[in-house]
Amino acid sequence: MIMTKKINLYYHLLKNFIQYNLLKYLLFFLTLSHRKLLKNKKSNNNNNVKRDSVVIFGSGKILNKLTVDEKKLLSESKIIFMNKNLIFWNYIGLWPNYYFLADTPLKSNLAVKIFNDTLKTVKENEFDAPTFILEKFYKYGLPKNLSCIYFDYNMSKNLNWASNLNQVMFGHFGSLTTLLNLVDVLDLGKKVMLVGFDMNARDYFFESDKKFNDYTDKSFFADGKMHPNLEKINNINMFSYWKIISDNLNVKNIKLYCNNHKSMLVKENLVEYMSINKFYEE
């Protein structure tokens, strides 16, 4: 029985290794048409950034309630979009300074589609391209003229906090946990606002879009009503090791806030609530 378990484990690891590396090089051809048209695209120089603060956008439906004045304030900070946000940026009405993607095909069957459609969105818009922050899987999918930071996170979880890009990033039940490690490693700012991270339901700011169903992977249909990263597996979820995040951000004096007092992050006393207006008063 023990030998069978070991064989299955080795088989699983070998299968993932082959799949990851095969698709990594195949990505060069899958993104070829977009990369050709992006060769003359410039990267954002962040001249619009007026403050040493960071705003990370989630995908909660509450994003649709942001006011014009709130968006104007948020645009003064370094804006980071993640996952599908850039594809549906017109619903938010802001263009990011950074775009982050940690998911690979080993975690999501839609990862390559999301990346390819993100490139298409960048290509089709007049704005300069954001700086890409990508798992190293995507190294061969981006033209060299665009600014990109590659990091290592080819696994389901890692509970060790990275101090530089040569180390595997922290991550547990959700890309946000990895991105917060990168905010620290890249020294992006000492004040971080989480917007659209309600996590109390499975609603999305772009769910009225006719293409919404094209981007729903198996996690969307998993059991439960909360955000998939909060549904417990073996009595563990995204919050189980949040203390590692808090402790490491505190060491660097990085303050984390959320603009929604109904967010599960706030309700569980993991992140401090602060309105957008107050965030920009200090």
Side-chain angles (χ1 to χ4, degrees), residues 65-114:
K65 295 183 178 181
L66 288 174
T67 68
V68 173
D69 288 339
E70 287 175 329
K71 291 179 183 181
K72 185 176 180 180
L73 287 172
L74 293 171
S75 68
E76 296 180 3
S77 302
K78 300 168 187 173
I79 292 178
I80 304 178
F81 279 6
M82 55 195 297
N83 303 333
K84 300 176 277 285
N85 285 16
L86 191 50
I87 300 171
F88 298 99
W89 74 274
N90 54 306
Y91 287 91
I92 300 175
L94 294 168
W95 189 259
N97 305 97
Y98 298 88
Y99 171 76
F100 164 80
L101 183 61
D103 287 350
T104 71
L106 297 187
K107 182 177 179 182
S108 170
N109 60 310
L110 292 174
V112 171
K113 174 178 174 56
I114 291 170

Side-chain angles (χ1 to χ4, degrees), residues 178-190:
T178 301
L179 178 52
L180 291 174
N181 193 170
L182 283 157
V183 168
D184 173 15
V185 168
L186 300 175
D187 194 23
L188 293 181
K190 297 299 184 183

Side-chain angles (χ1 to χ4, degrees), residues 214-262:
D214 295 343
Y215 298 94
T216 52
D217 60 16
K218 60 183 180 181
S219 67
F220 180 78
F221 300 100
D223 292 339
K225 297 181 180 180
M226 307 291 284
H227 188 282
N229 291 329
L230 292 194
E231 297 297 341
K232 289 190 174 182
I233 299 177
N234 296 324
N235 207 35
I236 293 175
N237 65 9
M238 179 180 174
F239 294 165
S240 298
Y241 297 98
W242 193 269
K243 188 176 186 301
I244 297 176
I245 297 174
S246 299
D247 288 349
N248 281 280
L249 294 183
N250 287 338
V251 167
K252 296 293 186 68
N253 198 31
I254 298 173
K255 305 298 182 183
L256 192 59
Y257 304 98
C258 179
N259 76 312
N260 180 11
H261 67 276
K262 294 183 179 180

